[in-house]
Each structure stands twice: as C-alpha cells, then as structure tokens.
Amino acid sequence: MAVMAKPLAQMPYQTLGDLQLKFAAPDVAENYRRDLDVASAVTHVSYGAQGVTFTREVFASYPDQVIVVRLAASRPGQISFEARMQTPQRATVEAASDGDLVMRGVNGDGNGVTADGMPIPGALRFEARVRILPTGGIRSVTNDAVIV
C-alpha cells in the first residue's frame, strides 16, 4: 500500500535542523539512566563520570513553540560544551549580539512542478533561536557557536 499526497505536488515535510551540543567525552561513564515521563512530557538522562553526576532534561511545548534543555552537574564548574546549529535547508547560522544562536532560512523546493514545468520553489521562511542561560558559568560566542 502506498500513501501519496493529493494532489501529488504538495510540499513535503522537511526538518528544520539540529542543535548540536559538543561535550568532552568522559573517560568512563557509569550508572547511565534514560527515561521518558509521558504524563509530564519530560525526558531525563543521567550518568556519573569522575565523581560527578550529570543530568539532562528536555521538555517541548508546542503552544509556546519552545524546546527547553536543562543541563546540570552535581559539582559546580563541570559543564562545558559548544552549541551549534545545522540544517539541510538554505540557511545561515550566526551568533547574535545578544548571545543567541540564530538560524534563518527558507525551506527546500517541492518535488512537484508548477504549471510552466518548473520545480515548486520553497517559500517558507523560518528562524530558530538558541538561548543559553548559564547559572554561575561563562558564555562566549564565536561567529556560529555559543561556548559555555
């Protein structure tokens, strides 16, 4: 059985992109645990490394158009990472003057064709922002990354 759009020229679903958080890899991780609380829509990951317990919680809210990621460590000064965004769409990524990471672009062309035989051009403009709010840490920016 095949599922097709009607009409066939409808625009396909396309991903906005990815948020990449690059951490230094621990030598050994222990007590790894991952769970999802469907009732509260929160996913949780925890693990230990070199005497520190790290946790990551993620919550998504469609009405607020936001995904929240909370990173924590059992000892101060243990969280360090580089945040970047990437997308297969036609887009730019830059660190704004306020410290936000901003991705702006337009979606890709559709698979169908217009009445004159041309591909259906992408016309949906988008903007995604990453705002990092460190507690007791230092945040710096480069051209296309935020470093904590």
Side-chain angles (χ1 to χ4, degrees):
M1 178 169 148
V3 177
M4 303 296 286
K6 290 185 181 179
L8 287 174
Q10 288 186 11
M11 297 299 283
Y13 167 81
Q14 297 175 0
T15 183
L16 178 68
D18 297 309
L19 169 63
Q20 295 180 326
L21 303 177
K22 183 178 177 182
F23 298 89
D27 293 333
V28 176
E30 55 193 23
N31 300 319
Y32 180 84
R33 180 181 166 109
R34 180 174 66 174
D35 60 71
L36 168 64
D37 183 336
V38 176
S40 66
V42 175
T43 182
H44 179 266
V45 173
S46 66
Y47 63 92
Q50 300 168 330
V52 179
T53 300
F54 295 93
T55 60
R56 178 176 60 232
E57 295 172 306
V58 181
F59 170 77
S61 171
Y62 175 74
D64 296 314
Q65 294 291 290
V66 66
I67 299 172
V68 177
V69 179
R70 181 177 181 267
L71 306 173
S74 61
R75 289 198 323 230
Q78 299 299 306
I79 297 177
S80 178
F81 64 93
E82 183 176 281
R84 294 182 181 273
M85 293 169 43
Q86 71 174 27
T87 179
Q89 310 302 340
R90 294 177 300 235
T92 60
V93 177
E94 64 183 0
S97 60
D98 61 4
D100 284 2
L101 196 55
V102 182
M103 180 171 59
R104 292 183 183 97
V106 63
N107 68 314
D109 296 340
N111 293 330
V113 293
T114 62
D116 59 359
M118 300 300 293
I120 298 172
L124 177 66
R125 302 211 177 284
F126 62 86
E127 178 174 305
R129 289 182 167 261
V130 173
R131 177 166 293 153
I132 297 174
L133 305 171
T135 302
I138 298 169
R139 177 185 68 176
S140 62
V141 296
T142 65
N143 290 340
D144 64 349
V146 177
I147 300 163
V148 175

